[in-house]
Amino acid sequence: MSRLLEVTSISKSFPGVQALADVSFRLDAGEVLALVGENGAGKSTLMKILSGGYTADAGAILLDGRPVMINSPRAAQHLGISIIHQEMNLMPHLTVAQNLYIGREPRTAGIFTSERRLITETDRLLHRTGIMLDPRAPVGSLTVAQQQMVEIAKAMSFPATRVLIMDEPTSALSEAETDVLFGLIRTLADSGVGIIYISHRMEELRRIADRVTILRDGRHVADHRMDEVDDSMIISEMVGRTITTAVRPASAPAAEEYGLEVIGLSTPRLLRDVSFAVRRGEILGFAGLVGAGRTETARAIIGADRHSGGRVLVGGRPVRINHPADAVRHGIGYLSEDRKRYGLMLERTVNSNVLLASLRDYTNALGFVAAGRGRRTSRRYVDLLRIKTPSIDTAALNLSGGNQQKIVIAKWLARDCDVLIFDEPTRGIDVGAKEEIYGLLNELADQGKSIIVISSELPEVLRLSHRIVVMAGGRITGILDNADADSESIMALATKFHGPTTIEAVEPEPAEPAQQKEDHR
């Protein structure tokens, strides 16, 4: 394969942070190069330099052996370099077609947008990429997985693309959608496109990558052919220490006291008679395919989505939750799968975000905030979760995606909720940080917290959960003890449902007294 892209001695610093130091790597035409490293290792900074978002302080970029200057995203696109960001950059009020060709719409007489040609070109592109979407659908009406597919199609809409950068492209995709993506990647590579693939999922890298380049603390550590190195070696070079990744939890706690009980929960659009309970000290995993109803269950529990029937009990007492504030008041914390939309105030500091859910605990009767005590709390959780930030006064938007996720976790730890619902808690987080969060969740369970973990990664569900709830089509299709669960048994339940659920809206039933609990455990 011919040398397509070469990066030599790239360095980049920000106030108080050396993001990259003398980093070099190469990409050949037709190659899929995996780029791995912990959060904060410099992967995203390096890719922003290649795609024109940042300018390097030192070093050179060569394309086809010739030095090039990339000082804007438009310059990168002109050179044939496209990027799919980890965080989506779409306009929800516009259609799929309008998002794909924004600023490049086909025009009649060079003045008026040709809607017919726009739809035709979008149809052609979606057909070529194997993405089944309606070009006229508003992006805001799509699921997270569908929006990710729009991002992929948008990157492929530039006909001159020679280098394609993918930053965690499968984080919101189902296995079927991931297969479609991998087929597309192989087609592109066979046509000579060089692909830089950033992911923390080792099983994905095994399937798709030819080589792997490893970064640690902003420096280049190693290059390997994927067929010449095992996962443990890659992980060790990423984090600088040995990580144990195959541990599964012991038996579920014997405690008979339940922190959270859900009885017959239904919603007008999807959920039907969802019932389960979480013991104190237990981690209950939720598995299922995209659209199974896992996130919808969590949102209905906390009052973010209206429910049409069912009851919720906390600590054995029936509670009425019509709004997320009610959930917080009853000791339920929820970490959303979409941290930027629902979990963070990006313009505010790390300190402000950590204290967001517990600010009243630091406010006196006159409305004055005990700033010193709050800052001590923030620093404690920043240290505990190893959040990489210059200070607690740094804006959350300046941190990597994984560190932003840790801030949201810190927010709920500071609130000291008895029931914690984690929706995709390690999405976009590297393997070293994952193990830290796994350890933290186990510690919280040991403290008697009731924990729900929703995850699209079966190894993660098996790694964490004492019991596993499997959903399909808005229903629970089975609940497995960890000792009885494996990937095959979970997938069998996840594909058990046939046909959509339609539920007539009814008024929620009044909560039963605690002693009249149904057998839903």
Side-chain angles (χ1 to χ4, degrees):
M1 293 183 286
S2 62
R3 186 70 50 85
L4 174 61
L5 177 72
E6 191 168 2
V7 171
T8 60
S9 302
I10 289 287
S11 295
K12 178 68 177 178
S13 64
F14 300 97
V17 178
Q18 182 71 44
L20 295 171
D22 197 31
V23 172
S24 300
F25 76 95
R26 79 172 201 276
L27 174 69
D28 294 334
E31 178 182 41
V32 180
L33 175 69
L35 183 67
V36 302
E38 288 191 279
N39 292 111
K43 305 184 302 296
S44 294
T45 300
L46 182 56
M47 295 306 100
K48 287 178 181 177
I49 289 172
L50 286 177
S51 59
Y54 293 154
T55 301
D57 298 333
I61 300 171
L62 289 80
L63 194 63
D64 294 325
R66 298 188 303 271
V68 294
M69 177 64 68
I70 306 176
N71 51 19
S72 70
R74 188 175 294 276
Q77 290 168 359
H78 180 73
L79 291 168
I81 301 174
S82 294
I83 184 168
I84 301 170
H85 292 283
Q86 179 181 350
E87 305 298 340
M88 288 174 282
N89 188 26
L90 299 172
M91 287 163 278
H93 61 288
L94 299 182
T95 66
V96 171
Q98 290 165 340
N99 269 276
L100 292 183
Y101 291 100
I102 186 74
R104 302 176 291 134
E105 300 88 347
R107 298 188 180 276
T108 302
I111 301 174
F112 303 105
T113 298
S114 172
E115 190 69 22
R116 182 177 59 81
R117 286 177 55 200
L118 179 63
I119 296 300
T120 299
E121 290 187 17
T122 301
D123 265 329
R124 187 180 300 119
L125 173 66
L126 294 177
H127 180 75
R128 176 167 61 88
T129 55
I131 297 172
M132 305 301 292
L133 290 175
D134 180 359
R136 300 173 182 83
V139 162
S141 69
L142 305 180
T143 66
V144 173
Q146 290 170 327
Q147 290 180 22
Q148 183 70 291
M149 299 304 278
V150 174
E151 284 280 23
I152 293 166
K154 185 176 180 180
M156 300 313 305
S157 68
F158 295 94
T161 296
R162 302 183 61 207
V163 176
L164 181 60
I165 303 166
M166 295 183 167
D167 192 354
E168 297 283 356
T170 64
S171 60
L173 302 187
S174 67
E175 287 193 22
E177 290 164 330
T178 297
D179 289 340
V180 171
L181 173 63
F182 284 0
L184 175 59
I185 289 174
R186 275 299 161 208
T187 299
L188 292 169
D190 290 343
S191 70
V193 175
I195 297 168
I196 300 173
Y197 191 96
I198 301 173
S199 178
H200 296 124
R201 301 180 177 182
M202 290 296 145
E203 68 277 7
E204 284 188 3
L205 303 185
R206 287 282 165 210
R207 289 178 60 188
I208 200 63
D210 301 306
R211 283 190 307 115
V212 58
T213 290
I214 302 167
L215 300 182
R216 185 172 71 234
D217 297 329
R219 297 180 181 275
H220 175 267
V221 175
D223 285 295
H224 303 285
R225 286 197 56 81
M226 283 301 297
D227 57 5
E228 296 176 352
V229 64
D230 59 25
D231 291 354
S232 61
M233 183 175 179
I234 294 174
I235 292 169
S236 177
E237 289 179 334
M238 281 172 56
V239 303
R241 61 189 186 278
T242 301
I243 297 291
T244 302
T245 59
V247 180
R248 288 175 71 159
S251 301
E256 288 300 321
E257 189 175 356
Y258 290 88
L260 177 72
E261 297 166 86
V262 175
I263 305 171
L265 188 66
S266 299
T267 60
R269 290 185 177 272
L270 180 63
L271 302 183
R272 181 66 179 270
D273 195 28
V274 172
S275 299
F276 64 90
V278 194
R279 294 181 177 91
R280 294 195 183 279
E282 180 180 29
I283 299 177
L284 184 68
F286 269 67
L289 302 177
V290 172
R294 297 165 301 161
T295 293
E296 289 81 359
T297 297
R299 288 178 58 84
I301 290 171
I302 67 165
D305 291 343
R306 187 173 70 89
H307 62 274
S308 55
R311 298 173 296 285
V312 175
L313 294 87
V314 177
R317 293 179 291 103
V319 297
R320 187 173 294 278
I321 299 175
N322 297 316
H323 187 274
D326 299 332
V328 174
R329 189 169 63 254
H330 289 298
I332 302 175
Y334 173 60
L335 186 147
S336 167
E337 64 174 339
D338 190 344
R339 59 177 173 264
K340 288 197 171 183
R341 187 175 180 184
Y342 299 115
L344 290 168
M345 296 188 297
L346 291 171
E347 302 288 341
R348 302 297 295 272
T349 65
V350 173
N351 180 60
S352 296
N353 276 282
V354 172
L355 300 179
L356 186 60
S358 53
L359 192 57
R360 288 184 180 179
D361 296 340
Y362 302 91
T363 306
N364 64 24
L366 299 177
F368 293 102
V369 176
R373 189 159 59 91
R375 291 175 68 84
R376 286 193 294 274
T377 297
S378 294
R379 289 195 187 99
R380 179 157 63 92
Y381 286 109
V382 165
D383 292 341
L384 177 67
L385 297 180
R386 295 179 62 191
I387 299 173
K388 293 181 179 178
T389 176
S391 77
I392 62 172
D393 297 314
T394 299
L397 63 84
N398 291 328
L399 303 188
S400 69
N403 283 300
Q404 289 175 353
Q405 187 81 317
K406 289 183 181 181
I407 293 173
V408 184
I409 295 174
K411 175 179 70 175
W412 293 116
L413 296 184
R415 186 65 177 79
D416 195 26
C417 294
D418 290 325
V419 178
L420 292 164
I421 304 173
F422 293 90
D423 196 347
E424 304 289 356
T426 65
R427 174 172 290 169
I429 292 180
D430 61 78
V431 66
K434 277 186 179 182
E435 286 298 313
E436 293 169 5
I437 290 175
Y438 295 165
L440 177 62
L441 294 180
N442 287 322
E443 289 177 16
L444 292 170
D446 290 341
Q447 295 170 17
K449 308 288 187 186
S450 298
I451 298 172
I452 292 174
V453 173
I454 301 168
S455 178
S456 299
E457 298 185 38
L458 290 184
E460 181 165 274
V461 173
L462 292 167
R463 167 74 174 77
L464 281 172
S465 311
H466 295 104
R467 290 183 300 141
I468 300 165
V469 174
V470 187
M471 296 190 70
R475 293 181 171 91
I476 290 178
T477 53
I479 300 179
L480 302 171
D481 287 330
N482 188 294
D484 301 324
D486 54 27
S487 298
E488 290 75 19
S489 60
I490 292 173
M491 287 305 298
L493 291 170
T495 56
K496 185 176 180 180
F497 177 72
H498 301 285
T501 299
T502 303
I503 305 168
E504 295 296 327
V506 296
E507 289 301 312
E509 299 177 26
E512 288 185 341
Q515 62 268 27
Q516 296 180 358
K517 300 169 189 174
E518 298 180 22
D519 183 17
H520 57 280
R521 297 159 191 164

